[in-house]
Amino acid sequence: MGMRFTDRGEAGRLLAAALPQFRGRAGTVVLGLARGGVPVAAAAADALRLPFGALPVRKLGVPGHEETAFGALAWSPGKVVRVLNGPLVVRLLELGFPQSSLDRVEHDGRAELERRAGQYPGTRDELRDRTVILADDGLATGATMRAAIEAVRRAGAARIVVAVPVAALDAQTSLEPFAEAVVSLFIPGGFRSVGSYYRAFGQVSDDDVVRLLRAR
């Protein structure tokens, strides 16, 4: 069965215990990838006595195979950052996927991302010269986290630490060149879905995110 977390809150507290060097450190903020990473970030930030916020992200799923990401989007103040899996996009086009279908996925994703950015309090907070801890509930492919890293880097973050409760090994290693540190509490063999490592893994709604942000 491997490690199982009770819920995202417990996972966030365990992450905080693995990051004692950041407790109360000035110039540091915890950002949760919205939506599922926000409860993780809230619990971690509370334990570390740090401010926290939400970073809207959006996976770009292959039409008809939405769990397979051909890229991802992330919100950077005032703009949307896109990261593509170039070889996969080329392969999809070779297989006959029309470019227009991929463009439609991106168009819809951008609209949703901008909607969330407008709704979530604090998504325009200043990140320049700060240490940013990017938290999510897990890494399956690393696509959305890669976009998140690029977004906060463009926003001027001085140092980026990725922190997740569970990660696929390939996702972990793919991110290591792009962040100062990637901290994963558990890297299972034969990775399944992120949710399979939690006892409670319900959907996180926009209302949940707004409630957590307003309580900060």
Side-chain angles (χ1 to χ4, degrees):
M1 293 293 290
M3 181 183 295
R4 286 176 65 88
F5 303 97
T6 300
D7 55 22
R8 291 179 176 91
E10 181 194 54
R13 291 186 290 274
L14 290 171
L15 270 179
L19 298 167
Q21 68 272 35
F22 295 106
R23 184 169 288 112
R25 180 182 287 187
T28 302
V29 61
V30 183
L31 294 183
L33 273 60
R35 295 182 294 223
V38 175
V40 178
D46 184 60
L48 291 171
R49 300 193 298 275
L50 293 173
F52 101 100
L55 181 66
V57 293
R58 187 78 171 177
K59 181 176 71 175
L60 300 176
V62 176
H65 307 273
E66 282 72 17
E67 290 305 309
T68 301
F70 68 87
L73 306 173
W75 178 260
S76 187
K79 57 184 174 295
V80 174
V81 173
R82 179 188 70 171
V83 173
L84 292 180
N85 181 336
L88 178 56
V89 171
V90 170
R91 181 61 177 155
L92 290 171
L93 296 176
E94 290 174 347
L95 290 172
F97 279 85
Q99 180 68 54
S100 60
S101 69
L102 303 183
D103 291 343
R104 171 54 59 183
V105 172
E106 181 176 344
H107 177 272
D108 293 346
R110 284 177 177 269
E112 174 63 14
L113 203 63
E114 290 171 356
R115 182 194 68 78
R116 291 185 188 181
Q119 182 178 1
Y120 298 165
T123 54
R124 295 175 179 80
D125 286 355
E126 179 61 53
L127 299 179
R128 184 164 300 280
D129 298 326
R130 303 187 79 176
T131 294
V132 178
I133 300 173
L134 289 172
D136 204 356
D137 49 21
L139 295 175
T141 68
T144 52
M145 185 61 79
R146 174 73 184 87
I149 292 170
E150 182 64 21
V152 297
R153 189 76 75 188
R154 292 192 191 185
R159 185 183 184 199
I160 299 169
V161 176
V162 172
V164 295
V166 60
L169 178 59
D170 286 350
Q172 163 99 12
T173 56
S174 73
L175 295 174
E176 288 172 349
F178 303 105
E180 279 64 42
V182 180
V183 177
S184 303
L185 299 182
F186 183 45
I187 303 176
F191 184 89
R192 302 186 297 274
S193 65
V194 170
S196 68
Y197 300 100
Y198 288 80
R199 293 189 179 92
F201 196 71
Q203 285 286 103
V204 178
S205 69
D206 286 331
D207 288 344
D208 294 330
V209 172
V210 171
R211 175 179 54 79
L212 287 166
L213 290 171
R214 286 179 175 164
R216 63 182 180 157

